[in-house]
Amino acid sequence: IEAGHGKVRRSHEDDAHGSVRWLMLCAPLEKPIGARHANAYARIMASQDIETLVQALSRLPGLGPRSARRAVLHLLKKRETALIPLQRALEQVGERLSTCQTCGNVDTSDPCGVCADTRRDARMLCVVEDVADLWALERSRLFPGKFHVLGGRLSSLEGVRPEDLTIDLLVRRIEAGGIDEVVLAMNATLEGQTTAHYIADRIERFPVRVTQL
């Protein structure tokens, strides 16, 4: 073995450039790139504008940094069919977005599409905590009447009081007449049921039937 190494060394000594190659072969491998450095390299792979878009998408519910990056890559690859239509849709909604003064729904018109629908039974009113609850019931198509969004639920721990919700507006809607049934569709939580009982007490003086969903 030593003789073999000697032959290799002599052959490299005879070659002026061989010593350089010999040192390169004998030099230890560099340490692999750490996670911190890998993240630094990943950050400079795209422009700041693209990174800003990734960060904005990663703050959306259900999207983390990896999912947001995949979504951005898809938008960049499908610029004409995905990125530009999404940009136009966001601009249109951003310019016309408003809160319905009647029910509290979020739409691009006031009154919203639900309140403006004359096919709905105006004698039935469903009370929900949030806009997400309204949209979920709309997708199920189980309720044919109108809606009222409270904007939250009563919570002593979070400091949410009756005046922080649209309960007074709800009472005024019922007091105006034309409503025969109020459906309380609160979530099955302690705060949700507390809110439902509070509303039931507030509207018990009106000739309406109160039910729970």
Side-chain angles (χ1 to χ4, degrees), residues 119-120 135-144:
R119 297 171 299 178
R120 292 184 171 274
W135 289 8
L137 287 172
E138 271 296 276
R139 287 195 301 269
S140 67
R141 299 184 180 275
L142 295 177
F143 186 73

Side-chain angles (χ1 to χ4, degrees), residues 96-141:
R96 302 171 56 190
L97 187 65
S98 63
T99 301
C100 179
Q101 298 301 312
T102 303
C103 72
N105 187 23
V106 177
D107 205 342
T108 56
S109 61
D110 185 16
C112 66
V114 176
C115 291
D117 190 354
T118 57
R119 297 171 299 178
R120 292 184 171 274
D121 189 352
R123 297 170 300 175
M124 300 178 63
L125 184 64
C126 182
V127 183
V128 296
E129 295 180 13
D130 194 72
V131 174
D133 301 322
L134 188 157
W135 289 8
L137 287 172
E138 271 296 276
R139 287 195 301 269
S140 67
R141 299 184 180 275

Side-chain angles (χ1 to χ4, degrees), residues 1 12 17 22 25 34 48 54 70 75 79 86 96 99 102 105 110 112 131 134 165 185-186 189 200:
I1 297 174
H12 282 289
H17 301 288
W22 175 259
L25 290 172
Q48 185 58 43
V54 172
R70 286 196 298 267
L75 291 173
R79 183 174 184 272
L86 176 62
R96 302 171 56 190
T99 301
T102 303
N105 187 23
D110 185 16
C112 66
V131 174
L134 188 157
L165 307 178
M186 310 292 102
T189 60

Side-chain angles (χ1 to χ4, degrees), residues 2-155:
E2 291 179 358
H5 281 301
K7 290 181 181 180
V8 173
R9 287 195 189 92
R10 283 194 296 273
S11 65
H12 282 289
E13 289 171 357
D14 295 337
D15 187 354
H17 301 288
S19 59
V20 177
R21 291 196 298 269
W22 175 259
L23 291 174
M24 291 175 63
L25 290 172
C26 294
L29 294 175
E30 293 185 359
K31 295 180 180 180
I33 299 176
R36 184 177 63 182
H37 296 86
N39 291 335
Y41 291 141
R43 286 196 295 269
I44 64 176
M45 288 176 62
S47 67
Q48 185 58 43
D49 293 335
I50 295 179
E51 287 301 322
T52 301
L53 177 58
V54 172
Q55 294 173 9
L57 289 180
S58 66
R59 290 192 289 268
L60 296 177
L63 284 181
R66 293 184 179 180
S67 300
R69 193 170 298 277
R70 286 196 298 267
V72 169
L73 287 174
H74 173 76
L75 291 173
L76 296 179
K77 292 178 181 178
K78 305 291 184 180
R79 183 174 184 272
E80 298 296 332
T81 59
L83 178 59
I84 294 179
L86 176 62
Q87 177 186 359
R88 292 173 179 169
L90 289 174
E91 289 177 350
Q92 292 177 359
V93 172
E95 293 173 356
R96 302 171 56 190
L97 187 65
S98 63
T99 301
C100 179
Q101 298 301 312
T102 303
C103 72
N105 187 23
V106 177
D107 205 342
T108 56
S109 61
D110 185 16
C112 66
V114 176
C115 291
D117 190 354
T118 57
R119 297 171 299 178
R120 292 184 171 274
D121 189 352
R123 297 170 300 175
M124 300 178 63
L125 184 64
C126 182
V127 183
V128 296
E129 295 180 13
D130 194 72
V131 174
D133 301 322
L134 188 157
W135 289 8
L137 287 172
E138 271 296 276
R139 287 195 301 269
S140 67
R141 299 184 180 275
L142 295 177
F143 186 73
K146 301 293 184 71
F147 288 91
H148 184 89
V149 180
L150 294 174
R153 57 192 176 187
L154 297 176
S155 175

Side-chain angles (χ1 to χ4, degrees), residues 125-129 148-150 152-154 162 165-168 170-171 174 182-186 191-206 208 210-212:
L125 184 64
C126 182
V127 183
V128 296
E129 295 180 13
H148 184 89
V149 180
L150 294 174
R153 57 192 176 187
L154 297 176
L165 307 178
T166 61
I167 296 178
D168 289 340
L170 170 64
V171 174
I174 298 174
V182 176
V183 180
L184 302 177
M186 310 292 102
E191 293 82 0
Q193 295 307 304
T194 300
T195 305
H197 287 302
Y198 178 83
I199 294 175
D201 291 339
R202 286 285 304 271
I203 63 177
E204 66 177 352
R205 59 190 177 93
F206 298 110
V208 295
V210 179
T211 58
Q212 282 191 283

